[in-house]
Every structure is written in structure tokens, then in C-alpha cells.
């Protein structure tokens, strides 16, 4: 009798923690959406500023090449090339930060699904890892496609390469999902 009441209490506690975890995961959908929007905005803003800066520098170089002698041009180019190295590192930090924010946003959006299947021992592990891989590849793809969209204006070749690099993770996700569906179809046949 005592063991039975302990089992019932353990099940009730387990259900209460599951309910709380699921409610928390649902509440965090808003946080995931905000992260997703913030990551996209950070990436877009960063790339837009880089594009504006590059266009301004190229216009300034064109004006300088027309008006100044070669000795003055060389001195100004050397000083102008030192500053972009620090800003380039900072821009890459912003790119990686935007990608991480996108990843966290996508992972947070799919957290309720992970909580729903966590009671099933074998499936929970696969679903959790699968969603992490999906969020990782999708966020990487979104980041590269967004960067390529901005760079298509200034450097079409670089933008096209970034677009291709962004499509590769999506193709990988598609092919892996298609392979899984084919395996399931073969098992059912």
C-alpha cells in the first residue's frame, strides 16, 4: 500500500514538472521569435553598414585618384588600410553573433516539441539532437543567404558564392529528410 502511494506521488510530481516545463517552453516561443528577429536585424544592419562603408571608400578612392599625386595617395591608402582591419574583425564578430542569435531563436522555437517527446526514452534523444541539427543548419543557411542578399549589390560574385554556400545546408537538410522518408517507405513496403 505504501509503495503504491509513493508511485502515485512520483507520477503526480513527474506530471507537474512536465506541465511546468511545457508551459515554460510555450512561453519561451515569444523569446525565440524575438531572438529570430533580432538575429536577422543584426545581420542585415551589419551587412548594410559594411556595404555603405565600402561604397563610400570606393567613391573616396575614385575622387582621390583624380585629384592627388601618387605619393599622397600611397600615404593615405596605408593609413586607410589599418583601420578596416579592426572593423573587419568587429564585423565578423557581429556576423557570428547574429548567427548564434538565430540558432538560439530557432532552437527555442522548437523546444515545446522536445518537451512533448521527452517521456519517450529512445525518441526524445533523437528528436532533441535532430532539432539542434536542424536549428544549426537552418540558422547557418539563413545567415549566409541574408549576407549574400546584401552583397549581391556591391560584389555579385561574392554574393553568389555566399548564396550557394547558404543553399548547401538547406540541400543537406532536404536530402537527409528525403532519405529518412525513403527508408520508412521501404520498411512499410
Amino acid at each position: 500500500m505504501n509503495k503504491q502511494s509513493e508511485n502515485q506521488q512520483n507520477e503526480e510530481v513527474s506530471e507537474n514538472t512536465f506541465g511546468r516545463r511545457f508551459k515554460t517552453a510555450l512561453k519561451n516561443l515569444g523569446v525565440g521569435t524575438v531572438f529570430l528577429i533580432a538575429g536577422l536585424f543584426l545581420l542585415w544592419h551589419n551587412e548594410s553598414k559594411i556595404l555603405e562603408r565600402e561604397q563610400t571608400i570606393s567613391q573616396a578612392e575614385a575622387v582621390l585618384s583624380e585629384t592627388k599625386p601618387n605619393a599622397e595617395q600611397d600615404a593615405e591608402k596605408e593609413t586607410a588600410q589599418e583601420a578596416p582591419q579592426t572593423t573587419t574583425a568587429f564585423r565578423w564578430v557581429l556576423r557570428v553573433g547574429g548567427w548564434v542569435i538565430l540558432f538560439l531563436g530557432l532552437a527555442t522555437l522548437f523546444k515545446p516539441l522536445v518537451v512533448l517527446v521527452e517521456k519517450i526514452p529512445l525518441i526524445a534523444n533523437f528528436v532533441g539532437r535532430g532539432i539542434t541539427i536542424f536549428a544549426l543548419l537552418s540558422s547557418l543557411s539563413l545567415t549566409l543567404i541574408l549576407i549574400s542578399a546584401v552583397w549581391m549589390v556591391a560584389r555579385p560574385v561574392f554574393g553568389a558564392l555566399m548564396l550557394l554556400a547558404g543553399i548547401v545546408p538547406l540541400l543537406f537538410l532536404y536530402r537527409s529528410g528525403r532519405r529518412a522518408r525513403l527508408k520508412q517507405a521501404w520498411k512499410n513496403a
Side-chain angles (χ1 to χ4, degrees), residues 16-32 108-109 111-113 115:
N16 287 339
T17 58
F18 172 76
R20 274 187 266 134
R21 287 176 47 97
F22 189 68
K23 284 180 184 177
T24 303
L26 286 177
K27 287 179 184 176
N28 287 340
L29 286 176
V31 173
T108 305
L109 285 176
K111 186 67 175 167
L113 182 62
V115 173

Side-chain angles (χ1 to χ4, degrees), residues 12 16 28 36 40 42 62 64 76 128 134 150 177-178 182 185:
E12 288 175 11
N16 287 339
N28 287 340
L36 204 61
L40 289 171
L42 177 66
L64 286 175
E76 286 188 15
F134 173 77
V150 175
R178 186 174 175 200
L182 285 174

Side-chain angles (χ1 to χ4, degrees), residues 31-51:
V31 173
T33 305
V34 168
F35 269 44
L36 204 61
I37 293 169
L40 289 171
F41 177 76
L42 177 66
L43 288 167
W44 183 263
H45 182 71
N46 181 37
E47 296 304 315
S48 300
K49 290 297 178 183
I50 291 172
L51 187 61

Side-chain angles (χ1 to χ4, degrees), residues 49-64:
K49 290 297 178 183
I50 291 172
L51 187 61
E52 287 175 12
R53 186 169 189 275
E54 188 156 307
Q55 288 175 345
T56 305
I57 288 173
S58 65
Q59 289 173 353
E61 285 177 352
V63 169
L64 286 175

Side-chain angles (χ1 to χ4, degrees), residues 64-82:
L64 286 175
S65 66
E66 293 174 2
T67 60
K68 294 194 177 186
N70 287 338
E72 290 179 20
Q73 284 180 356
D74 293 339
E76 286 188 15
K77 282 184 182 177
E78 288 176 12
T79 57
Q81 288 176 352
E82 293 173 6

Side-chain angles (χ1 to χ4, degrees), residues 92-144:
W92 275 103
V93 168
L94 288 178
R95 284 177 180 147
V96 171
W99 171 65
V100 168
I101 291 171
L102 275 176
F103 168 69
L104 292 174
L106 284 172
T108 305
L109 285 176
F110 289 104
K111 186 67 175 167
L113 182 62
V114 174
V115 173
L116 277 176
V117 298
E118 74 182 4
K119 293 286 187 177
I120 306 168
L122 294 175
I123 295 176
N125 209 11
F126 290 117
V127 169
R129 287 183 182 159
I131 287 177
T132 301
I133 290 170
F134 173 77
L136 183 73
L137 291 175
S138 297
S139 63
L140 178 64
S141 186
L142 274 172
T143 300
L144 292 173

